[in-house]
Amino acid sequence: MAFFQCPKCKNTWQYNISKCPDCFLDLERIKSTKIKVIGISKVKISSVFHPKTPYYILVLENEKGNRWVQKSIREHKIGDEFRPKPSKNKQTVSIWKTKYDILETIEKTIELIGGIKINEESKILILPTLISAKHPYLADNTSPEFLDSVIKFLTQSGANLKNIKIAFQSFDNVPIEASAQKSQLLNVCLKHKIAVLDLAKTSFLKKEVAGLNIQISEQAFKNDLIINLPILKLDQKKKIKGATNNILTLLSKKDYLSFEENNKILKVINKVLPEYLNIAEGIYIQKADKVVTYLGLIFASFNSLNLDKVFTEVGMIKNLPEYLKDIKIEHIQITGRHPGELQYNIEKIY
Ligand SMILES: [Zn+2]
């Protein structure tokens, strides 16, 4: 975990209070490089947020002597180095908990799935969730903080803002500009001076997959990296709305609406698309009754189906959408946090 330190008096905080209250200087973000387990408590009594027992609460310490606690279902020994292993398998799903710093959690989830290689020349297309003209607190659209953190992550990884595009498409009668404004996502694009792209105005290419004829925006094939940025949700009709639902934003409006009722497209869409990165916002989750609950997680994977499946596992969602029923959780490599230590029934929590 990262800490925030005053460059002058060296006071340190676990969260970014932006300026030191004594010196009025901007705090520096300092990443932990070496983490050790220095304390362990075993918990045997379950609670609403921690239904699975026993679990362990670890006291962790970094090389600078800063300490914090973390839950784990794996047993550790005092003195163990604490270091989740990155995976090189592109099908892996990484999970990390976000406390105060979304950017740090994004860095961690991407590092855990092997990282991304980008440079100044890389053309990047970001696909946030933008489906309604609603305020961020309703968790209907990607939150402005999340999009902002993804952009910061890309620039610090070497991307040039001029080569990043953020794409939206309206599938109802609400103009996409109105949704972009009310969701505050437009502000984020303007702040970073990033080009906004209305996919409806792009050209569409005809593709055929598993007997379905579909039209996909040519933008899907014109960039070096596509980042799918779903906000995870529960849904009355679809059960969940995950990463695979969000990538359908690349379809033509006609196809999107005709396939909306059809689960088959979700199973096969990835076969006609180039490989893309999914970074899923699972911090505040909108439930089927539209009430918003807290989960505090970010998931990343190059496989949207695996990511959606892992989300249902963490959220203990029993009523699975058709497209996820054949995927076995045991076959998915999961890194970062173990679902067993994060699980609770999101449907039942208010
Ligand atoms: Zn200071």
Side-chain angles (χ1 to χ4, degrees):
M1 122 167 228
F3 285 83
F4 297 88
Q5 192 177 51
C6 170
K8 195 175 163 203
C9 70
K10 304 289 176 197
N11 269 339
T12 305
W13 289 265
Q14 276 201 18
Y15 39 88
N16 192 359
I17 57 168
S18 73
K19 279 189 194 321
C20 173
D22 296 321
C23 316
F24 304 108
L25 292 173
D26 287 341
L27 300 182
E28 286 170 357
R29 192 158 161 271
I30 297 173
K31 289 188 200 174
S32 300
T33 50
K34 200 164 182 176
I35 300 165
K36 264 182 10 186
V37 178
I38 60 158
I40 302 165
S41 301
K42 187 173 184 176
V43 182
K44 294 179 186 168
I45 299 166
S46 66
S47 57
V48 180
F49 286 104
H50 307 282
K52 284 202 173 163
T53 57
Y55 62 89
Y56 304 88
I57 299 295
L58 310 176
V59 182
L60 302 175
E61 187 181 73
N62 71 3
E63 71 289 353
K64 301 254 166 56
N66 296 314
R67 292 171 182 183
W68 68 99
V69 293
Q70 187 163 313
K71 180 183 172 183
S72 174
I73 58 160
R74 270 164 291 197
E75 217 171 337
H76 288 76
K77 282 199 252 9
I78 293 202
D80 278 358
E81 191 178 346
F82 186 83
R83 193 182 195 179
K85 280 199 189 93
S87 165
K88 290 218 167 78
N89 177 349
K90 293 270 182 164
Q91 311 304 315
T92 302
V93 179
S94 65
I95 320 175
W96 203 249
K97 189 123 189 146
T98 182
K99 231 172 164 182
Y100 307 109
D101 192 347
I102 295 177
L103 173 60
E104 187 202 6
T105 314
I106 291 173
E107 284 169 5
K108 193 78 194 168
T109 52
I110 304 297
E111 177 198 321
L112 286 166
I113 53 168
I116 51 166
K117 284 196 183 77
I118 50 171
N119 58 42
E120 285 228 327
E121 308 296 318
S122 308
K123 291 193 171 59
I124 301 168
L125 183 75
I126 306 178
L127 280 175
T129 303
L130 183 61
I131 55 154
S132 65
K134 286 190 179 147
H135 289 297
Y137 71 91
L138 294 163
D140 214 22
N141 306 306
T142 295
S143 72
E145 296 81 12
F146 197 76
L147 180 61
D148 187 58
S149 302
V150 169
I151 295 166
K152 284 180 183 155
F153 168 73
L154 292 172
T155 49
Q156 76 182 32
S157 306
N160 183 343
L161 289 174
K162 285 191 186 122
N163 289 326
I164 300 178
K165 280 180 286 209
I166 299 190
F168 303 116
Q169 188 172 190
S170 172
F171 296 110
D172 54 22
N173 295 325
V174 181
I176 200 66
E177 295 79 8
S179 302
Q181 194 160 19
K182 195 130 185 195
S183 64
Q184 297 176 22
L185 294 180
L186 186 62
N187 282 350
V188 179
C189 302
L190 294 174
K191 181 180 128 187
H192 294 283
K193 300 194 178 70
I194 289 186
V196 178
L197 183 69
D198 181 356
L199 288 171
K201 292 177 182 152
T202 63
S203 304
F204 286 83
L205 306 176
K206 284 185 184 156
K207 297 276 169 182
E208 202 227 312
V209 59
L212 300 171
N213 290 305
I214 53 175
Q215 296 202 26
I216 301 176
S217 169
E218 62 172 7
Q219 286 296 321
F221 309 97
K222 283 178 101 177
N223 291 278
D224 302 310
L225 176 67
I226 298 175
I227 303 180
N228 186 30
L229 221 58
I231 182 164
L232 302 172
K233 281 183 254 188
L234 307 188
D235 187 82
Q236 204 107 45
K237 251 166 64 186
K238 297 194 171 72
K239 324 292 186 213
I240 72 152
K241 277 189 177 173
T244 317
N245 270 285
N246 199 58
I247 201 69
L248 299 186
T249 311
L250 288 167
L251 293 181
S252 69
K253 183 172 179 176
K254 186 172 152 273
D255 285 344
Y256 181 92
L257 295 176
S258 69
F259 288 123
E260 220 190 0
E261 306 295 320
N262 185 344
N263 258 296
K264 193 177 172 191
I265 188 76
L266 295 169
K267 276 190 185 175
V268 297
I269 183 74
N270 290 341
K271 293 185 178 156
V272 279
L273 292 174
E275 183 184 75
Y276 60 92
L277 170 66
N278 302 277
I279 314 175
E281 179 176 2
I283 304 170
Y284 291 97
I285 307 284
Q286 189 192 82
K287 303 195 293 178
D289 57 8
K290 305 282 178 200
V291 175
V292 175
T293 188
Y294 183 75
L295 187 64
L297 298 176
I298 294 175
F299 304 74
S301 180
F302 286 94
N303 184 323
S304 68
L305 297 167
N306 284 356
L307 191 153
D308 290 347
K309 182 74 182 190
V310 172
F311 167 56
T312 62
E313 180 71 11
V314 171
M316 299 173 90
I317 297 156
K318 294 208 175 64
N319 198 1
L320 289 182
E322 203 56 42
Y323 78 99
L324 294 179
K325 283 184 180 164
D326 297 336
I327 302 172
K328 298 258 179 299
I329 190 78
E330 309 81 63
H331 296 167
I332 304 175
Q333 193 179 357
I334 302 170
T335 174
R337 300 296 301 265
H338 192 289
E341 65 200 33
L342 304 166
Q343 263 175 339
Y344 60 80
N345 191 329
I346 352 181
E347 268 157 344
K348 293 203 175 133
I349 304 264
Y350 281 89

